[in-house]
């Protein structure tokens, strides 16, 4: 089955980018959570950087519809692909890429930074949403449960929370205190700042998927109102990153937000 | 071992010692060695009833079952009522074995025509269990069950069942069943269940977890009612990457809370191959009392059997269903909808092969009707007559049906029902599998079908209980 799927994706790759590509994600205003929003925004930014047309299609059950159980996912013709990396791969197969000027060493660097963002920023976001009591009670549980009727909302909140905690335990994050989590975020921001210093984008004057991913996470962290705003304040200490976020927002989303 | 002694309430009135219609009792025209006796002429009354072998079963429910026996006035009546009492005792589900003995009444207080009836019962053990097979919906299943019958002595039982089907269906069910006393034979069931089913023809799988309360009673001895309330959390998952996007859009959780009323009248003489009698089932369901699934649904199933000559049975069936959504913000799940086609319904089509499809996945509709006319005859030249051969029947059939989002409010409702009718016919062999299922192997010819229908001409195999 996996092989068949893979062959089909390869075959589909030869076709040009279809006109009616849709990006499915949860409702932004009342439903989406911080980590999901970051990933959805990252994919949106990447598609815009590639100059590909798409439409955002909000769905309450986007998470269940996704083949991997994670948002966002795109539907291009008969193909349904979820998450940033497989989408990047799918688009690369069509001959569209942001990394053609990069040498192999830089490419592996980029992958390392991307996994750093996934393993620190995304996990920290999960931690804040599901393990910080205040955030969970005031934001996460209300938003995540909003699409379900009573009493399914309470059941689903518990189920989801248990699965996130399980994941955090495996990653060794559940035992961490809030200040340790912020320290990790700080280290990650510092590493990204060091890499970016003096350049427009991480790898020269053109954006890559790493820029899209960093933009997705930092923009969401900066603009999402949470009871505990410490994480946003941590990010604000890195003006180089803020500049990057503002630049991408202006160039690709044609709007400006003050951070 | 306890024993219930039930004694006749009223003192014996003076009964004539000899039956008044003596000439009828012994027929004179017959040979002396084989006397024909008219049992309804023999005066008799029941003096005493013994029930032996009772341990934890309470007396009151036993008394309810056997009380009628005291009202018998002649010997035939005694036999019939004893038989009925035995059936009632069996229905309690407390006894493994029930034997009935009838003897003349002896000892003090015995009336001249008095009889003593003894029921010898063996109670079930505290816990019983077993592994059995189960058949339904074109699928065989292995069923592992554990039962605690008669826990509080009044027929209450707890049962836990787990079944695993050949098509990756798994079911878990835990039920508490409480029969109640009364002339409508009410029975209360509450159960917790989890079921998992895969539907490759529709491209989805569904995991249901829920609660069911069922109240069953008989309004007359043949009309059975069930009133149910069901609350289920349903998780619809996409079966594969190739599943149609329209099915994918339905993925996710839904909560259904529904009230259901089922009436069934079964007058057939046999479950698998009836030769006479009819069956009527009407189900009405209202979902939307809480939860996010809302619809009104009505369906019926009628089956009539007519014996046209010895062992030649004509069977006609008609079923239909109609549902509509309650409000726009309430969902109707894929498993709530109607599907048509397959070896159990419209033969000559694939399972769920009739009606709207998207990328080969059946999507279901809001209304359907289907009917069938079957002729069951013995096998040609009747091999194995009176034994093994009687399990098989030759089967000729014609089935017809239609499915779609019909609306009763539509002006030409009847015309839309009749337009685009699908018809198929064929012949084959039907087999009785124990007393639990009918197996059919048919050669089918789809006669009338629409574009987009998935036909299945040729040999089709079906196994199940309820066929169209």
């Amino acid at each position: 089955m996996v092989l068949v799927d893979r062959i089909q994706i390869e075959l589909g790759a030869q076709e040009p980018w279809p006109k009616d590509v849709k990006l499915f994600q949860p409702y932004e205003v009342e439903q989406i959570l911080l980590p999901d929003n970051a990933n959805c925004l990252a994919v949106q930014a990447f598609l815009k950087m590639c100059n590909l047309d798409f439409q955002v299609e909000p769905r309450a059950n986007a998470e269940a519809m996704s083949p991997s159980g994670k948002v966002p996912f795109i539907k291009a013709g008969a193909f349904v692909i979820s998450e940033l990396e497989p989408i990047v791969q799918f688009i690369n197969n069509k001959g569209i890429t942001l990394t053609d000027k990069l040498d192999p060493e830089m490419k592996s660097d980029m992958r390392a930074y991307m996994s750093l963002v996934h393993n620190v920023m995304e996990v920290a976001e999960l931690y804040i949403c599901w393990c910080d009591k205040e955030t969970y009670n005031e934001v996460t549980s209300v938003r995540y449960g909003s699409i379900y009727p009573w009493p399914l909302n309470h059941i689903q909140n518990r189920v989801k929370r248990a699965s996130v905690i399980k994941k955090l335990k495996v990653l060794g994050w559940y035992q961490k205190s809030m200040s340790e989590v912020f320290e990790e975020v700080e280290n990650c921001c510092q590493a990204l700042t060091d890499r970016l210093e003096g350049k427009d984008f991480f790898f020269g004057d053109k954006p890559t998927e790493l820029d899209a991913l960093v933009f997705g996470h930092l923009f969401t962290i900066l603009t999402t109102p949470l009871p505990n705003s410490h994480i946003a304040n941590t990010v604000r200490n890195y003006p180089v990153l803020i500049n990057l976020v503002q630049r991408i927002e202006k160039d690709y989303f044609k709007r400006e937000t003050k951070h | 071992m306890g024993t219930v002694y039930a004694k006749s309430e009223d003192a014996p009135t003076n009964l004539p010692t000899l039956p008044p219609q003596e000439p009828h009792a012994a027929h004179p025209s017959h040979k002396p060695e084989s006397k024909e006796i008219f049992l309804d002429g023999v005066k008799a009354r029941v003096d005493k009833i013994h029930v032996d072998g009772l341990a934890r079963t309470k007396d009151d429910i036993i008394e309810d079952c056997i009380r009628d026996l005291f009202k018998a006035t002649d010997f035939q009546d005694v036999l019939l009522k004893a038989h009925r009492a035995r059936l009632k005792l069996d229905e309690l589900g407390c006894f493994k074995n029930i034997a009935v003995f009838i003897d003349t009444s002896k000892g003090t207080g015995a009336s001249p025509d008095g009889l003593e009836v003894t029921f010898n019962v063996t109670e079930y053990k505290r816990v019983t269990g077993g592994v059995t097979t189960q058949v339904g919906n074109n699928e065989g299943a292995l069923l592992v069950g554990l039962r605690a019958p008669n826990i509080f002595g009044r027929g209450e039982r707890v049962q836990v069942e787990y079944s695993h089907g050949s098509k990756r269906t798994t079911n878990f069910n835990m039920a508490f069943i409480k029969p109640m006393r009364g002339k409508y034979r009410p029975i209360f069931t509450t159960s917790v269940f989890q079921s998992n089913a895969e539907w490759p023809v529709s491209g989805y799988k569904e995991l249901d977890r829920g609660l069911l309360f069922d109240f069953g009673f008989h309004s007359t001895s043949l009309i059975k009612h069930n009133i149910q309330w069901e609350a289920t959390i349903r998780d619809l998952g996409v079966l594969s990457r190739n599943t149609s996007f329209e099915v994918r859009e339905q993925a996710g959780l839904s909560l259904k809370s529904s009230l259901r009323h089922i009436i069934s009248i079964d007058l057939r003489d046999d479950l698998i191959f009836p030769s006479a009698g009819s069956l009527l089932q009407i189900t009405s369901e209202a979902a939307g009392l809480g939860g996010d699934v809302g619809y009104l649904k009505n369906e019926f199933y009628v089956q009539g059997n007519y014996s046209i000559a010895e062992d030649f049975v004509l069977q006609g069936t008609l079923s239909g269903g109609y549902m509509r959504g309650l409000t726009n913000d309430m969902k109707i799940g894929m498993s709530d909808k109607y599907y048509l086609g397959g070896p159990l319904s419209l033969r000559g089509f694939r399972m769920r092969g009739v009606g709207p499809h998207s990328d080969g996945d059946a999507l279901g509709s809001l209304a359907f009707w289907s009917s069938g006319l079957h002729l069951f005859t013995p096998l040609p030249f009747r091999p194995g007559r009176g034994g093994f051969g009687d399990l098989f029947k030759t089967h000729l059939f014609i089935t017809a049906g239609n499915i779609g989002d019909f609306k009763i409010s539509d002006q030409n409702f009847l015309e839309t029902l009749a337009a685009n009718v699908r018809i198929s016919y064929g012949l084959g062999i039907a087999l009785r599998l124990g007393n639990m299922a009918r197996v059919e192997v048919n050669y089918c010819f789809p006669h009338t079908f629409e574009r987009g229908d998935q036909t299945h001409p040729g040999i089709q195999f079906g196994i199940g209980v309820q066929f169209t």
Side-chain angles (χ1 to χ4, degrees), chain B residues 100 305 332 363:
Chain B
V100 190
N305 298 286
I332 299 178
L363 298 175

Side-chain angles (χ1 to χ4, degrees), chain B residues 193-213:
Chain B
F193 62 89
Q194 170 174 318
S195 71
N196 205 339
E198 285 190 6
W199 287 99
V201 286
S202 288
Y204 73 86
K205 58 184 177 203
E206 194 171 286
L207 172 69
D208 290 6
R209 291 196 178 100
L211 262 176
L212 178 76
F213 293 97

Side-chain angles (χ1 to χ4, degrees), chain A residues 32-253:
Chain A
I32 204 165
L33 298 179
L34 185 56
D36 292 343
N37 200 0
N39 286 324
C40 293
L41 205 56
V43 172
Q44 286 186 27
F46 175 75
L47 292 173
K48 281 179 192 278
M49 285 169 181
C50 293
N51 211 5
L52 294 169
D53 286 336
F54 67 95
Q55 255 183 304
V56 176
E57 180 96 17
R59 290 287 167 92
N61 60 341
E63 200 179 347
M65 282 168 73
S66 164
S68 68
K70 283 188 177 175
V71 287
F73 68 94
I74 59 164
K75 179 183 184 289
F79 299 97
V80 180
I81 308 116
S82 65
E83 295 181 75
L84 181 62
E85 278 79 5
I87 290 171
V88 169
Q89 188 62 39
F90 176 76
I91 289 167
N92 277 357
N93 288 343
K94 290 190 186 296
I96 304 163
T97 171
L98 297 176
T99 55
D100 49 348
K101 297 221 171 65
L102 269 56
D103 56 44
E105 199 185 322
M106 287 162 96
K107 275 188 189 172
S108 67
D109 266 10
M110 186 193 72
R111 282 197 206 101
Y113 278 104
M114 284 180 80
S115 68
L116 176 76
V117 176
H118 278 303
N119 291 336
V120 178
M121 298 307 258
E122 198 181 324
V123 178
E125 286 158 9
L126 281 173
Y127 182 95
I128 290 159
C129 282
W130 295 96
C131 300
D132 177 40
K133 273 229 168 72
E134 211 184 348
T135 313
Y136 175 76
N137 289 334
E138 286 177 27
V139 181
T140 311
S141 62
V142 178
R143 291 175 74 88
Y144 192 77
S146 68
I147 57 163
Y148 300 114
W150 182 91
L152 189 56
N153 53 355
H154 296 292
I155 299 170
Q156 270 323 98
N157 278 338
R158 276 163 179 269
V159 170
K160 179 71 180 176
R161 185 159 189 254
S163 83
V164 170
I165 286 175
K166 199 173 158 193
K167 184 181 171 179
L168 292 176
K169 274 183 181 160
V170 171
L171 295 169
W173 275 64
Y174 186 65
Q175 301 83 337
K176 286 191 170 127
S177 69
M178 209 56 169
S179 55
E180 281 175 307
V181 169
F182 292 133
E183 214 180 293
E184 292 273 2
V185 173
E186 256 181 74
N187 290 341
C188 177
C189 288
Q190 188 59 52
L192 290 171
T193 305
D194 292 349
R195 171 78 220 183
L196 192 59
E197 208 74 76
K199 281 174 286 192
D200 276 355
F201 297 103
F202 284 101
F203 294 91
D205 54 355
K206 286 264 171 66
T208 59
E209 46 263 38
L210 173 62
D211 297 276
L213 184 65
V214 170
F215 168 76
H217 281 277
L218 298 188
F219 184 85
T220 314
I221 289 173
L222 291 168
T223 54
T224 309
L226 289 178
N228 186 337
S229 60
H230 198 95
I231 186 164
N233 295 336
T234 311
V235 174
R236 283 200 185 97
N237 292 333
Y238 297 87
V240 179
L241 296 176
I242 303 284
N243 274 338
L244 176 79
V245 169
Q246 279 172 334
R247 202 160 44 243
I248 293 175
E249 194 194 3
K250 199 175 142 203
D251 288 358
Y252 297 101
F253 289 83

Side-chain angles (χ1 to χ4, degrees), chain B residues 134 136-137 139-144 161-174 192-199 204-210 232-233 235:
Chain B
Q134 198 184 36
N137 208 9
E139 179 177 29
L142 184 76
L143 186 116
V144 184
E161 282 174 351
Y162 175 79
S163 73
H164 193 99
S166 56
K167 292 190 175 163
R168 299 216 208 165
T169 307
T170 56
N171 277 296
F172 172 81
N173 187 314
M174 194 167 101
V192 193
F193 62 89
Q194 170 174 318
S195 71
N196 205 339
E198 285 190 6
W199 287 99
Y204 73 86
K205 58 184 177 203
E206 194 171 286
L207 172 69
D208 290 6
R209 291 196 178 100
T232 319
I233 296 172
D235 189 356

Side-chain angles (χ1 to χ4, degrees), chain B residues 20 51 102 124 143-144 155 222 233 252 271 281-283 297 354 388:
Chain B
V51 182
I102 301 177
Y124 276 117
L143 186 116
V144 184
L222 291 166
I233 296 172
L271 216 59
Q281 268 175 6
I282 301 172
T283 309
K297 191 173 177 177
V354 186
F388 189 64

Side-chain angles (χ1 to χ4, degrees), chain B residues 271-431:
Chain B
L271 216 59
I272 310 299
F273 286 133
S275 61
S278 49
L279 165 75
L280 171 67
Q281 268 175 6
I282 301 172
T283 309
S284 318
E285 186 176 3
L289 310 121
D292 57 354
V293 176
Y295 57 79
L296 290 172
K297 191 173 177 177
N298 288 291
E299 57 196 73
F300 71 92
Y301 176 83
V302 201
Q303 186 193 83
N305 298 286
Y306 311 94
S307 198
I308 46 176
E310 199 207 347
D311 290 338
F312 281 67
V313 178
L314 197 65
Q315 183 180 76
T317 61
L318 178 65
S319 63
Y322 178 81
M323 68 190 290
R324 63 183 180 86
L326 275 187
T327 57
N328 283 335
D329 53 332
M330 284 191 145
K331 298 184 242 182
I332 299 178
M334 289 205 62
S335 54
D336 301 318
K337 290 191 175 175
Y338 294 118
Y339 299 88
L340 190 62
L344 305 188
S345 66
L346 206 59
R347 323 286 202 281
F349 290 88
R350 291 216 199 138
M351 193 78 147
R352 295 185 169 187
V354 186
H357 281 77
S358 162
D359 295 341
D361 294 328
L363 298 175
S365 295
L366 297 180
F368 87 103
W369 69 266
S370 71
S371 64
L373 191 65
H374 307 260
L375 178 68
F376 292 101
T377 67
L379 290 181
F381 314 115
R382 312 203 69 163
R385 185 176 189 168
F388 189 64
D390 285 353
L391 297 176
F392 296 87
K393 297 216 184 260
T394 318
H395 174 213
L396 284 137
F397 66 88
I398 173 161
T399 50
N402 197 0
I403 186 163
D405 291 346
F406 313 127
K407 283 199 175 69
I408 286 187
S409 52
D410 208 3
Q411 275 206 333
N412 24 3
F413 172 65
L414 286 176
E415 283 164 41
T416 45
L417 280 186
N420 314 328
V421 169
R422 277 73 156 187
I423 300 169
S424 66
Y425 59 93
L427 78 169
I429 286 177
L431 159 71

